[in-house]
Amino acid sequence: MKQYVVTRPLYSEDAFADEHEKIHRHHKTVRHHVKQYFTCDLKRAKNAALSLLPFIGWMRIYQLKEWLLSDIVSGVSTGLVAVLQGLAYSLLASLPPWYGLFTAFFPVIIYFFLGTSRHISVGAFPVLSLMVGAVVTRLVPDEGPPVNITGFEGLTSDEQRVMVAASVTFLMGIMQLAMGLLQVGFIVMYLSDTLVSGFTTAAAVHILVSQLKFVLGLVVPGLSGPLSIVYTLEKIFVQIEKTNVCDLVTSILIMVVVFIVKEINDRYKAKLPVPIPIEVIMTVIACGVSYAFNFQEIYKVDVVGRIPVGYESPMAPNMQIFGQTAVEAFPMAIVGFAVAFSVAKVYSVKHDYIIDGNQELIAFGASNIIGAAFKSFAASTALSRSAVQESTGGKTQIAGLLSALIVMVVTLAIGFLLEPLPKSVLGAVVIVNLKGMLMQIREVPYLWRRDRPDCLVWLGTCLASILLGLDLGLAVGLGMELLTVVFRAQFPRCSVLANITGTDIYKDRKDYMTIYEPEGVKIFRIPSPIFFANIDFFRGKLVEAVGFNPLRVLRKRNKALRTIRKLLKKGELQMTSKGLLLTSFGPIEESEDESNMEDLDQPTDFKDLPVQALKELIRVQVEVYIVACDAYILEKLHSCKFFDDEVKSSMFFLTLHDAMLHILEKHPVNSENTKVCEKVITTATIHGNQCNGVSSLRSRDKFVRVSEPETKF
């Protein structure tokens, strides 16, 4: 076994500071930061341009011969999938199918210039499409009149829905753009992988239920709000006998074939040059069969229908719709960015380049704002489409640009070929692509074994999103996640450490057999910052570890001293050669001032008392040592005047072993003092916002002083 031997002095923080001179560093002031932020020079302007237009950076290093062919193959493959998914996800948004083609075109063009990811495919995302659909059906329901909004006059139901979808997308884009400009991309960190997994699983369930009406060929109105999924299922099962057999058989056939080929793609992806575009193949076949056998007329199959040629004129958002949809737009902005950023981060790590969260917010915000002006709905990224773009060899967003050109060709020239496509085929394609999200439920047993609070967040988010709707479900999930954070911080796992015999290593005394614990020494560890919410829990655990409550001992001692003073003053207690002699045997009464608890908490004052007669009362003492404290915290403690004659900086030590050796040197194991004095070594963390936080901690319990290392004031 390898060993090492280190010989050095025993260091307290003071001793180390005296022996080793620190370099004085000048910290920048707020004024300096502001001045630097508004300073402009050529280099800063160049960096700003590269930051705002990231495509300049990768275009400068573009390897034409090596990358262009791969980007062309990837762009064509992704474009075909984008056309199909655009049509399919429009149904989730409760819009005519061709508006999905707009979403697969305009946001992609904008992201090409502003986005930092080279591999994600921008466009419709099923979860966002479903959230847009919930807003659309709330304001323009299938049954009953629409909400009274200025601007709806003279518009058809589809046109009203397009206005709602475009307006909420515009508002979503404004929110994303504002967050990007304010540099709050870190907000995505509050959406843990567990929460996102539970949320997207619930969204997959909603998507599955929403597509059943197309698969079964039923007429079911779109519903939104709490328990909408239950009411939708009720309406489906009430008319289940009206199922269109042709739609059902077509859907089952499409799902089986697509599922099998996708499994083949996954299993043999290392051997296949490109994945088999089975969705596109089956769509083309379904279009041909539907047209040849006239499914629409003979079998009453609902088809895509007329697809207008070209793009529609731009449209301004409706301000009144902004007020009606602001609550839904914010979670849409967060979810859209979180999913896209998560996927982008995976590919950036795989291909070794950097993405910028704030710039991604700007890119998606601008994409959604401009896209909404041209009547597209909320854009993010679809996992399956991004996987196609990356797995077919895509190197940069040139592939994304080419996919947008494929969509444009369909929109301007050959869209009419998709008119006989049954909507049941689109529904089947959507359902098959839900496999990845639905299979996330397999994470639950693993989460339960690994981290039960995380598992409860997953289950709570998923169930709430299913039953209450995606917007409220996300809010519930965030609430549960914050509660788990509070719970972990407020009730951390404290432990009493002991020395592993023959080493300078200290571990939980409950976990090891060969340990060394000097009598009268307790090493207490709390692995969490100490702040106002957990200070009582910390104090209770510390008292439990020490074995007695120092504050109670202090109060009893001060109470006894008050009584002695009173008896001495009255002459009922006299000093003799043998000690104190009580001359009166009557009951000792307490006055009102003697019951003042605040005074009892003050340090003991022995002046004007015969202390040598009071040995028994002064034997209750506690020495506190704090180890491994961050230098920044020590500086703050000094600047806040934390130290005084009673609490000294000499209580801080560099390491736990330094503190232990100091104690053993000061109180040898066999000495009587070791049995009398209690030593507490604590490793914890103080957390506060100002110097007063430290002072209040000291003043509440001056007998046992605890502070700590790694925290910010």
Side-chain angles (χ1 to χ4, degrees):
M1 181 180 294
K2 295 182 179 180
Q3 297 183 345
Y4 70 90
V5 177
V6 177
T7 302
R8 66 168 177 82
L10 189 156
Y11 283 126
S12 66
E13 290 284 358
D14 289 346
F16 187 82
D18 292 339
E19 188 170 327
H20 298 83
E21 184 178 358
K22 291 183 66 176
I23 298 175
H24 180 69
R25 292 182 293 173
H26 294 281
H27 298 286
K28 295 180 179 179
T29 63
V30 176
R31 180 182 178 183
H32 180 85
H33 283 292
V34 172
K35 181 180 178 181
Q36 187 179 29
Y37 184 80
F38 288 102
T39 300
C40 185
D41 53 29
L42 182 60
K43 182 179 179 180
R44 188 174 177 85
K46 180 181 177 181
N47 291 336
L50 290 175
S51 175
L52 187 61
L53 299 171
F55 84 101
I56 297 175
W58 56 260
M59 283 292 287
R60 291 164 59 188
I61 62 171
Y62 193 83
Q63 301 174 24
L64 192 64
K65 294 182 179 180
E66 291 81 3
W67 292 359
L68 183 59
L69 181 60
S70 297
D71 276 342
I72 291 174
V73 173
S74 175
V76 172
S77 302
T78 307
L80 295 174
V81 175
V83 169
L84 180 59
Q85 291 188 350
L87 297 172
Y89 296 157
S90 289
L91 303 181
L92 293 175
S94 301
L95 298 173
W98 64 86
Y99 286 98
L101 300 179
F102 300 167
T103 306
F105 178 74
F106 292 106
V108 178
I109 301 297
I110 304 304
Y111 187 85
F112 172 84
F113 295 102
L114 300 179
T116 59
S117 175
R118 304 177 192 172
H119 292 89
I120 64 171
S121 175
V122 177
F125 174 52
V127 176
L128 272 185
S129 301
L130 189 68
M131 296 176 79
V132 171
V135 177
V136 168
T137 54
R138 179 173 66 84
L139 298 184
V140 188
D142 290 325
E143 297 177 347
V147 174
N148 185 19
I149 292 178
T150 304
F152 276 2
E153 297 85 356
L155 300 180
T156 65
S157 177
D158 283 345
E159 291 171 338
Q160 291 173 349
R161 292 189 164 197
V162 170
M163 178 179 286
V164 172
S167 297
V168 72
T169 300
F170 196 98
L171 181 57
M172 165 188 166
I174 290 176
M175 292 178 176
Q176 290 177 328
L177 183 61
M179 288 189 289
L181 294 175
L182 293 174
Q183 304 285 293
V184 293
F186 64 86
I187 195 172
V188 73
M189 300 304 173
Y190 290 96
L191 298 178
S192 67
D193 292 341
T194 303
L195 184 145
V196 172
S197 175
F199 178 77
T200 52
T201 302
V205 174
H206 276 282
I207 294 169
L208 174 63
V209 172
S210 70
Q211 295 306 292
L212 288 179
K213 63 181 180 181
F214 299 111
V215 169
L216 300 175
L218 301 176
V219 178
V220 178
L223 302 174
S224 61
L227 300 180
S228 60
I229 190 171
V230 177
Y231 300 136
T232 300
L233 287 172
E234 179 189 16
K235 291 182 179 295
I236 289 174
F237 285 112
V238 164
Q239 50 178 325
I240 194 70
E241 72 280 356
K242 298 179 182 179
T243 298
N244 188 310
V245 177
C246 182
D247 274 326
L248 180 60
V249 172
T250 302
S251 300
I252 293 175
L253 181 62
I254 293 290
M255 285 189 285
V256 170
V257 174
V258 172
F259 178 81
I260 292 174
V261 176
K262 275 182 169 290
E263 290 297 310
I264 294 174
N265 283 340
D266 288 340
R267 181 167 296 185
Y268 299 103
K269 60 184 177 182
K271 298 181 179 180
L272 292 171
V274 294
I276 302 172
I278 187 59
E279 294 110 321
V280 177
I281 294 172
M282 295 305 295
T283 299
V284 173
I285 293 174
C287 277
V289 173
S290 175
Y291 178 77
F293 292 94
N294 197 7
F295 277 10
Q296 184 178 15
E297 297 295 333
I298 298 176
Y299 301 104
K300 308 301 179 185
V301 171
D302 191 13
V303 298
V304 169
R306 185 183 70 88
I307 298 181
V309 177
Y311 295 99
E312 300 182 10
S313 57
M315 176 186 67
N318 186 293
M319 295 296 109
Q320 195 173 351
I321 294 177
F322 279 7
Q324 294 275 354
T325 60
V327 175
E328 290 99 334
F330 183 71
M332 286 168 57
I334 297 298
V335 171
F337 168 64
V339 172
F341 186 74
S342 298
V343 177
K345 188 164 58 175
V346 170
Y347 290 129
S348 70
V349 171
K350 181 178 179 180
H351 295 279
D352 192 24
Y353 62 90
I354 298 174
I355 57 172
D356 183 348
N358 294 313
Q359 182 61 29
E360 286 294 291
L361 274 170
I362 293 173
F364 278 105
S367 298
N368 282 307
I369 289 172
I370 296 176
F374 288 91
K375 302 183 180 179
S376 70
F377 55 89
S380 179
T381 184
L383 282 67
S384 58
R385 194 171 61 248
S386 295
V388 169
Q389 180 165 320
E390 191 269 344
S391 62
T392 52
K395 303 297 183 183
T396 65
Q397 282 299 331
I398 293 288
L401 191 63
L402 291 174
S403 73
L405 293 178
I406 297 294
V407 174
M408 185 178 69
V409 170
V410 173
T411 305
L412 297 178
I414 61 175
F416 68 93
L417 296 177
L418 296 172
E419 291 180 359
L421 178 65
K423 289 184 178 180
S424 57
V425 174
L426 297 177
V429 170
V430 170
I431 290 174
V432 171
N433 281 303
L434 294 177
K435 178 199 168 189
M437 288 193 287
L438 289 172
M439 295 305 290
Q440 291 176 136
I441 197 170
R442 293 183 300 181
E443 298 175 6
V444 174
Y446 169 72
L447 284 174
W448 184 256
R449 293 191 301 269
R450 188 196 72 180
D451 194 323
R452 293 189 178 181
D454 266 2
C455 185
L456 293 177
V457 169
W458 195 101
L459 292 173
T461 303
C462 186
L463 292 175
S465 299
I466 290 174
L467 297 176
L468 302 179
L470 296 181
D471 49 353
L472 293 178
L474 180 63
V476 170
L478 281 171
M480 292 186 66
E481 190 169 57
L482 291 176
L483 283 177
T484 61
V485 172
V486 171
F487 180 82
R488 294 176 198 272
Q490 192 165 351
F491 304 104
R493 183 184 179 276
C494 302
S495 56
V496 176
L497 307 183
N499 176 251
I500 303 299
T501 305
T503 72
D504 61 351
I505 299 170
Y506 295 81
K507 295 288 185 179
D508 193 328
R509 63 191 298 272
K510 297 179 181 178
D511 297 336
Y512 294 88
M513 298 289 292
T514 56
I515 59 174
Y516 170 62
E517 292 183 281
E519 185 178 355
V521 177
K522 295 292 183 182
I523 306 173
F524 182 77
R525 177 179 181 271
I526 178 171
S528 171
I530 301 173
F531 62 113
F532 68 92
N534 65 4
I535 184 64
D536 289 332
F537 176 82
F538 166 70
R539 182 183 287 111
K541 286 294 182 181
L542 181 59
V543 167
E544 181 182 330
V546 173
F548 62 90
N549 189 332
L551 187 57
R552 291 183 61 188
V553 174
L554 177 63
R555 287 174 175 174
K556 288 184 177 181
R557 180 171 61 183
N558 284 340
K559 186 176 179 181
L561 290 174
R562 287 182 177 182
T563 302
I564 291 172
R565 284 193 178 93
K566 179 180 178 181
L567 294 176
L568 287 172
K569 186 177 181 180
K570 292 182 177 180
E572 296 176 358
L573 186 66
Q574 296 181 358
M575 181 68 179
T576 67
S577 59
K578 296 183 179 181
L580 294 175
L581 177 63
L582 186 65
T583 60
S584 173
F585 296 96
I588 300 175
E589 297 182 358
E590 291 187 8
S591 60
E592 291 185 2
D593 63 318
E594 289 174 332
S595 60
N596 188 325
M597 299 302 290
E598 292 183 1
D599 291 342
L600 294 179
D601 291 349
Q602 300 303 314
T604 305
D605 182 9
F606 291 106
K607 66 181 181 181
D608 73 23
L609 289 176
V611 178
Q612 292 78 9
L614 299 173
K615 284 186 179 180
E616 291 79 9
L617 293 178
I618 63 174
R619 283 184 174 177
V620 181
Q621 298 180 17
V622 176
E623 296 178 13
V624 178
Y625 299 94
I626 302 169
V627 302
C629 183
D630 187 84
Y632 176 78
I633 300 300
L634 276 174
E635 290 179 8
K636 283 294 182 182
L637 293 177
H638 281 288
S639 64
C640 293
K641 299 182 180 179
F642 177 80
F643 302 110
D644 53 27
D645 293 337
E646 195 174 7
V647 181
K648 302 179 180 180
S649 59
S650 58
M651 67 192 299
F652 289 84
F653 281 79
L654 282 182
T655 70
L656 178 51
H657 201 56
D658 280 311
M660 178 62 79
L661 293 177
H662 170 77
I663 291 172
L664 294 178
E665 181 181 3
K666 184 177 180 181
H667 304 282
V669 176
N670 295 326
S671 71
E672 183 181 354
N673 288 337
T674 305
K675 300 178 182 179
V676 171
C677 298
E678 187 79 17
K679 275 74 66 182
V680 177
I681 306 176
T682 178
T683 59
T685 304
I686 291 183
H687 182 71
N689 293 323
Q690 53 188 3
C691 298
N692 291 339
V694 179
S695 301
S696 63
L697 178 61
R698 291 177 51 210
S699 63
R700 292 184 65 180
D701 188 345
K702 286 214 168 188
F703 194 65
V704 178
R705 308 221 192 262
V706 181
S707 59
E708 159 28 356
E710 309 165 5
T711 299
K712 299 178 180 179
F713 282 84

